[in-house]
Amino acid sequence: MRARTLKDSKVVILGLGLIGGSIARGLSREKLCAGVWAVGRNETVLGEARNLGVLDGYSLDLRTVCSDADLIVLAVPGLSIAPLLLELAAFIGSRTIMTDVASVKSSTVDAARMAFGEVPANLVPGHPIAGSEKSGFAAANADLFRNKRVILTPLEQTAPEAVNLVTELWQSLGAEVLSMSVPHHDEVLAATSHLPHLLAYVLVDTLSRQGESEEIFRYAAGGFRDFTRIASSDPVMWRDIFLTNADATLSILDTFTEGLERMRQALVQGDGDYFLKTFTRAKSSRDKFMSLSASHVPTAPRTPGLEFLAEPGGRLSGAFRVPGDKSISHRAIMLGSIADGTTTVNGFLEGEDSLATLAAFRSMGVAIDGPEQGRVVIRGVGLRGLKAAAGPLYLGNSGTSMRLLCGLLAAQHFASTLTGDESLSRRPMQRVARPLADMGARIHLQEGGLAPVVIEPATLRPIHYAMPVASAQVKSCLLLASLYTEGRSVITEPAPCRDHTERMLEAFSYPISRHENRIEIEGGGILKAVPIDVPADISSAAFFMVGASISPDSDILLRHVGINPTRIGVINILNLMGADISYERESVAGAEPVADIRVRYAPLHGIDIPLDQVALAIDEFPAIFIAAACASGTTVLRGAEELRVKESDRIQAMADGLMALGIQVQVHADGLSVEGGQLRGGTIDSKGDHRIAMAFVMAALRASAPIRILDCHNVATSFPGFVELAAAAGVRLGQHEH
Ligand code: S3P
């Protein structure tokens, strides 16, 4: 057999349905081969495909077009493969390579043996995992296989040249090609595809035969749709799949039936514990599966996705509560999970970042109910009760999840791998890995000190550590690791930074001593579950503080905002600039002080931002720079090099955005000088950074023309419902996906 490439191959597709038609469309659109021909039964479809330019030619007769084919793709239902192979065996020589797309590979191999006497070396059994409940050429789509998987099941005798050409075919259509043995393929598919289809068909059929079936379907909502989508698949194809893969399907069906029977008993006995355990396990497995598939995303090119369009002008008014504090939400899940007893959290932030932490702990065996309207119930497993997750923990965009988990997981008796999205995979992890290594941790980073982070089990010793940067994430990481040591750790911070971990440890009755910038903690204690009230996030409130301060006639009340002294840098800085911000109804929510914050418009002036406020306002500078652009005179920020390594390089991203809107800035290595002026309209690249996107939304209140903001999907990491809330408060804001 001579080696050949797809480019100079004549490809013949047998069967021009969804799969065959999609291959033909992909090949012809990109001109990937020397010619695309088809054989089918429906001449109207074949003629239409040729008129569309999808085919170079067709025939109703196999021999006419197949005898000089380089590659034949059998894209017919499983049971049609045997008769086709029999026909082909009569005239096909060894130079023609054949492959198929059937969902069951043992039946293709059996059919080939019957037809040819032995499985020929030029046949490569294959299966694209790219079905759809739609069928037929009309549904065919050149991109059907893009980013999908194709499993090839070559046998020992299969010729490498044949495998290469078939691999090239699928790769050129955008698929990832994997290889497996025939029996393994059929077992895996029976469990992951064939059984779910069987269940969906049976459920819909059973319900449709109930007396009031129309009534049932009329009220069937999302759950029914999600569960039964695949019952719309092609019945002939699925009949063939079950006839050809009966053994593997029966085996997994029996196991499933046992599970169903146990569930039935739990229903009879009202065994809520059994439900909760089963559902928690299942949910964690599914979340993990979804995050694993999501973890493919970083390698795919990032699309600008969600766009905001903010019309100029407007003023802010009304009383409202922004979502829960992100930092406190993370810590509530972490400490609640390793506490003894049940922790109920209210006001939890249902944003992607804190949900990533929640999913990670579920994956490590913690039963967590919710979140439901901000309420989460965590059944703590104690300091030593976490279990190894079945795969990597995917933490999305969340730096806090990754850095704090490094400390907690470095001390476990199991290994863990932490991964994140593109932005998180660019952020420095050495700052936690280095001191943890001094404690005896075995942590491996990628080149450049980046994620994925691989953590091996280790026994940690206490640390005395003077932090080189004022980072609450580093401090919290080390505090969590210290819980697992024998002895006393001492951590000192160069400047005060948020102390939610310390406060929450105290709330969980864990002894910790704090004097000025020195924190001491002894390992081996117990955390006692305690209810947590998460205040509204001052970092989210900050956008509205700035919005109200810069738009004349504004007057807003931000309810129940956390005013922890280590977080109020933004209020101090805005007040120094002349803002009118005051507290009402001050109180204490558990371990954290809160207040309603009143903000009224006031003309602002530029200032030199005091160095001691930098760490206390570290997340709020995007918003503060917008205030600076609307102030008279110059505002100067120095000593804030940390901004370069946030979700984006926030110094550069803000400088670029402000300049695009006609504001003069001077970029420093450790900060930015902003000259107040008139904001114009324009287009801003938020660089996928939630806070950059939200800051420029507020800029529109004082801009002379619309501001379009790109790449805004990550606003959901910290502020779900931002667009709706900003619009209700008075920003003329819309969004669209493209
Ligand atoms: C956070 C600490 C800060 C902050 C981040 C949240 C926390 O990061 O910027 O958004 O929850 O501990 P650094 O510790 O890197 O300053």
Side-chain angles (χ1 to χ4, degrees):
M1 195 181 299
R2 74 184 161 90
R4 76 200 84 157
T5 60
L6 190 60
K7 215 59 223 130
D8 45 45
S9 295
K10 170 181 173 181
V11 180
V12 179
I13 295 164
L14 310 188
L16 209 59
L18 173 73
I19 300 286
S22 298
I23 298 172
R25 280 183 186 274
L27 288 177
S28 59
R29 187 184 68 184
E30 311 288 335
K31 302 205 178 352
L32 296 169
C33 60
V36 187
W37 293 69
V39 178
R41 280 190 304 222
N42 187 334
E43 195 164 3
T44 319
V45 169
L46 293 167
E48 185 197 331
R50 195 188 47 193
N51 293 342
L52 286 171
V54 171
L55 297 179
D56 295 295
Y58 67 84
S59 169
L60 301 180
D61 170 56
L62 270 189
R63 200 184 277 256
T64 324
V65 291
C66 287
S67 41
D68 64 343
D70 295 289
L71 176 61
I72 296 177
V73 184
L74 289 88
V76 292
L79 287 184
S80 308
I81 290 197
L84 270 182
L85 285 176
L86 258 182
E87 251 190 87
L88 288 169
F91 65 90
I92 280 295
S94 63
R95 69 163 296 280
T96 302
I97 291 167
M98 294 177 284
T99 187
D100 75 322
V101 300
S103 305
V104 182
K105 296 323 324 159
S106 50
S107 63
T108 297
V109 168
D110 291 346
R113 213 171 271 126
M114 292 276 291
F116 291 86
E118 58 172 343
V119 182
N122 51 334
L123 172 70
V124 186
H127 175 208
I129 319 264
S132 157
E133 65 282 11
K134 300 203 189 89
S135 46
F137 178 72
N141 153 18
D143 293 312
L144 185 67
F145 310 107
R146 196 153 294 286
N147 297 325
K148 300 284 168 44
R149 290 185 169 146
V150 174
I151 301 175
L152 302 184
T153 60
L155 309 184
E156 242 171 56
Q157 66 265 38
T158 313
E161 298 85 346
V163 176
N164 290 345
L165 186 67
V166 175
T167 303
E168 195 192 342
L169 165 78
W170 289 117
Q171 285 176 342
S172 64
L173 294 172
E176 181 190 359
V177 178
L178 313 172
S179 171
M180 245 180 219
S181 74
V182 169
H184 189 210
H185 169 276
D186 289 358
E187 274 163 33
V188 169
L189 268 289
T192 55
S193 169
H194 306 170
L195 179 65
H197 278 81
L198 194 84
L199 301 180
Y201 280 128
V202 172
L203 177 69
V204 176
D205 184 52
T206 308
L207 294 188
S208 68
R209 291 199 281 133
Q210 300 280 307
E212 301 290 324
S213 71
E214 271 197 28
E215 176 85 356
I216 292 174
F217 289 135
R218 188 166 322 127
Y219 296 110
F224 179 81
R225 273 177 190 279
D226 289 350
F227 190 88
T228 60
R229 176 180 60 78
I230 50 183
S232 294
S233 308
D234 181 5
V236 173
M237 183 175 110
W238 282 94
R239 175 203 61 191
D240 290 4
I241 288 174
F242 289 115
L243 287 175
T244 49
N245 203 26
D247 288 349
T249 310
L250 272 173
S251 149
I252 188 70
L253 182 61
D254 288 347
T255 313
F256 179 77
T257 310
E258 282 166 28
L260 215 49
E261 183 49 38
R262 279 205 302 278
M263 202 36 89
R264 189 175 184 287
Q265 281 163 18
L267 271 173
V268 170
Q269 293 158 358
D271 187 349
D273 260 7
Y274 183 77
F275 293 141
L276 190 62
K277 275 198 198 121
T278 312
F279 299 163
T280 300
R281 246 191 345 255
K283 175 167 172 43
S284 135
S285 305
R286 187 173 191 280
D287 291 347
K288 191 173 314 132
F289 162 71
M290 297 307 286
S291 64
L292 280 180
S293 21
S295 63
H296 280 291
V297 173
T299 55
R302 207 156 51 102
T303 52
L306 186 65
E307 261 183 47
F308 290 169
L309 185 66
E311 298 292 339
R315 66 182 185 94
L316 299 190
S317 64
F320 42 89
R321 181 169 171 162
V322 300
D325 187 285
K326 185 148 75 80
S327 294
I328 299 176
S329 296
H330 283 300
R331 287 155 171 85
I333 298 291
M334 294 183 187
L335 297 194
S337 293
I338 56 168
D340 286 4
T342 299
T343 297
T344 301
V345 184
N346 279 297
F348 179 76
L349 168 67
E350 296 183 34
E352 287 169 7
D353 277 12
S354 37
L355 290 173
T357 294
L358 188 151
F361 280 87
R362 272 197 181 127
S363 304
M364 293 188 285
V366 183
I368 305 178
D369 305 349
E372 219 181 299
Q373 298 189 337
R375 186 166 185 273
V376 176
V377 179
I378 309 160
R379 288 157 222 279
V381 295
L383 212 53
R384 303 269 170 201
L386 295 176
K387 297 200 178 67
L393 298 170
Y394 178 69
L395 302 169
N397 195 243
S398 179
T400 306
S401 311
M402 188 169 279
R403 297 208 178 108
L404 270 58
L405 275 176
C406 279
L408 189 62
L409 297 183
Q412 305 298 325
H413 54 272
F414 53 81
S416 310
T417 300
L418 309 181
T419 64
D421 71 3
E422 206 189 345
S423 149
L424 184 53
S425 306
R426 279 197 306 261
R427 300 183 65 187
M429 293 298 144
Q430 285 288 17
R431 53 179 60 196
V432 290
R434 236 181 251 129
L436 285 172
D438 291 344
M439 297 177 80
R442 297 196 296 151
I443 297 196
H444 310 283
L445 303 177
Q446 309 305 306
E447 217 183 299
L450 306 177
V453 183
V454 178
I455 304 172
E456 289 182 64
T459 304
L460 302 190
R461 46 184 180 268
I463 188 170
H464 283 227
Y465 191 62
M467 295 196 304
V469 274
S471 161
Q473 292 178 353
V474 174
K475 174 173 66 172
S476 304
C477 160
L478 298 179
L479 286 172
L480 291 172
S482 302
L483 300 177
Y484 291 87
T485 61
E486 260 181 46
R488 201 168 183 77
S489 291
V490 181
I491 299 160
T492 52
E493 46 186 357
C497 55
R498 67 192 69 190
D499 64 355
H500 305 301
T501 308
E502 297 90 304
R503 284 172 185 256
M504 204 180 283
L505 280 168
E506 282 164 356
F508 276 86
S509 310
Y510 200 98
I512 174 167
S513 110
R514 308 207 269 155
H515 292 291
E516 295 177 345
N517 66 342
R518 182 182 167 93
I519 307 153
E520 299 190 23
I521 188 164
E522 193 116 12
I526 294 175
L527 287 91
K528 293 198 198 108
V530 66
I532 307 270
D533 173 3
V534 181
D537 197 328
I538 190 168
S539 297
S540 298
F543 300 107
F544 292 90
M545 293 181 201
V546 167
S549 298
I550 62 173
S551 50
D553 293 332
S554 291
D555 184 353
I556 57 169
L557 189 69
L558 294 154
R559 291 200 195 282
H560 202 68
V561 181
I563 51 163
N564 179 318
T566 60
R567 293 287 297 281
I568 54 170
V570 61
I571 296 177
N572 299 338
I573 292 168
L574 288 174
N575 279 341
L576 284 173
M577 295 173 77
D580 179 358
I581 303 180
S582 56
Y583 296 153
E584 296 179 7
R585 294 191 341 142
E586 283 186 59
S587 64
V588 179
E592 299 279 347
V594 295
D596 292 351
I597 301 180
R598 183 93 190 237
V599 191
R600 280 178 273 226
Y601 167 75
L604 303 180
H605 54 83
I607 58 166
D608 284 355
I609 295 172
L611 273 180
D612 64 3
Q613 295 300 311
V614 172
L616 310 185
I618 195 68
D619 288 341
E620 284 64 73
F621 285 109
I624 292 170
F625 290 146
I626 299 300
C630 300
S632 59
T634 309
T635 300
V636 181
L637 171 71
R638 304 303 299 252
E641 49 277 279
E642 273 296 295
L643 292 182
R644 297 251 180 219
V645 289
K646 293 293 178 190
E647 285 83 327
S648 68
D649 173 347
R650 285 185 175 158
I651 293 176
Q652 200 55 52
M654 286 305 297
D656 292 346
L658 287 170
M659 285 190 288
L661 301 182
I663 297 296
Q664 288 184 20
V665 301
Q666 200 187 338
V667 176
H668 315 293
D670 63 344
L672 192 67
S673 296
V674 180
E675 197 75 46
Q678 172 58 53
L679 286 156
R680 296 196 301 244
T683 298
I684 306 294
D685 182 356
S686 80
K687 307 261 167 38
D689 183 329
H690 54 141
R691 300 202 199 281
I692 304 288
M694 291 187 277
F696 280 105
V697 165
M698 294 301 161
L701 289 163
R702 278 279 289 270
S704 58
I707 300 180
R708 183 170 159 235
I709 308 161
L710 310 179
D711 208 356
C712 296
H713 55 284
N714 275 338
V715 165
T717 59
S718 68
F719 203 144
F722 170 74
V723 169
E724 293 74 12
L725 192 56
V731 187
R732 296 164 182 159
L733 181 61
Q735 62 179 333
H736 71 272
E737 192 107 34
H738 71 100

